[in-house]
Amino acid sequence: MADIVLSYARENRPQAESLSRALEDAGWSVWWDREILPGVSYEQVIEAELAAARCVVVLWSASARQSNWVRDEATLALSRNVLVSVLLDDSTPPLGFRQQQTASLAHWNGSTTSPEFALLTQGIARVIGEEAPLGVRLPQVETRAPARPKRLKAAVITSVLGCVLAGGAAVKWSNGYFRQRGEAVPASTAPASRASSRVESARALVVPADATLTLPRQNVALTVLSGTLEQLNADTRLLLLHIRVANNGTRSFYRTYYSTLRLVVDGVPRAPNDSLYEQVEKSSAREFDYRFDVPAATTRAVLRIIDDDQTDEIELDIPAAGR
C-alpha cells in the first residue's frame, strides 16, 4: 500500500498527476485511481487503499465540492485522522472539512522547491509522523522575539502577580464573610464552575410515531429512536439523535456516510458534528448517535437523508428553550 492516496475530481486530473510526480520525487509512494487495473472492482480497490494509506491528500476545487466520491473519500480520511486538504482554486472545502489547516496550490507551478509545496510536505509529514523528505527545502520562519530589558520584564511579572494575589484574597474574604453570616454567596463572588456554563439541562425530544427514513433501492431504513436537547450557551443547543440503521438489502454492508444525513433548520442544511463512517452488515442493524448544533430559538427541523437521487425526510418538533 502507498504512503499517500490522492483524492480529486475528474476535472483536476492534470493537477493530480503533477502533484503525484512531485510527492514521489520527494520520496513518498503515491497512489491514485489511474493505477486501477481493468476488470478490478473500482470501489473495493479505492476503499482498500484509503483504509491503508498513511495520509490522504484531498484536492478541493469547485468541481471536487460537487463530487460525492471526493466527499466520501475525505470523510473516511477524516475519520482516520489522516486527512490533508489542498485548495486548487479560490473555492473553500465543504462544511465539515474546514476545521483543519488547508494548503493552497492554486498558483503552484509544479516545482518541488516552491514554498507552497514545502508547506504541504510539512503537513503530510506531520500526519504520517515523520520528518519531511530530505529533498524538500522547508521555508525558514524567524521565531526569535525581540529582546526586552530585564528590569522591565521583572516589574511586569511582579505587578501581575500582585494583582492575582490581591484578587484571590478579595474573593476568599468575601466568600468567608457571607458564609459566616449564614447568607448565600453572591454569584459575582462565587467560584465559576463548568456546570454554570450549561444554561439548561438535557431534555427529551418527542419523537414522531413514524420517524423512519428509507432508501428503497438499497432497502435500508433509518429510525429515530430517541433524542435529547442540551443548552450549550445562550445561542446554541446540542441536538442528539439516537438512530437505528437497518440493512435489509442485498448488499454485503451499508455505509453510514457523513454526507448522508442533514438537519434542515430554517431552510439551511446542517451536517452532523461528527464524521460518522461505519458499516452495517447485511440482514442486521446497528445504532448510532448523531449530534447537531442548532440555534437556541429552533422549534422545528427536518431530518433529511440523501443518497444519490434517493431522498426522504421527517419533521421534528423541538421544545422551545426554557419551556
Side-chain angles (χ1 to χ4, degrees), residues 30-61:
V30 181
W31 185 92
W32 54 309
D33 58 11
R34 71 167 185 176
E35 300 176 9
I36 297 179
L37 299 175
V40 178
S41 171
Y42 183 89
E43 183 178 356
Q44 291 180 357
V45 172
I46 289 183
E47 186 172 4
E49 293 290 344
L50 289 170
R54 303 171 67 189
C55 177
V56 177
V57 176
V58 177
L59 307 184
W60 292 113
S61 65

Side-chain angles (χ1 to χ4, degrees), residues 2-7 49-58 73-85 97 100-101 120 123-129:
D3 295 324
I4 300 170
V5 167
L6 291 185
S7 175
E49 293 290 344
L50 289 170
R54 303 171 67 189
C55 177
V56 177
V57 176
V58 177
E73 291 165 4
T75 297
L76 178 56
L78 186 62
S79 69
R80 295 185 53 226
N81 295 318
V82 296
L83 173 65
V84 171
S85 291
F97 304 101
Q100 294 183 323
Q101 184 175 356
L120 172 59
I124 294 174
R126 186 178 299 111
V127 169
I128 291 179

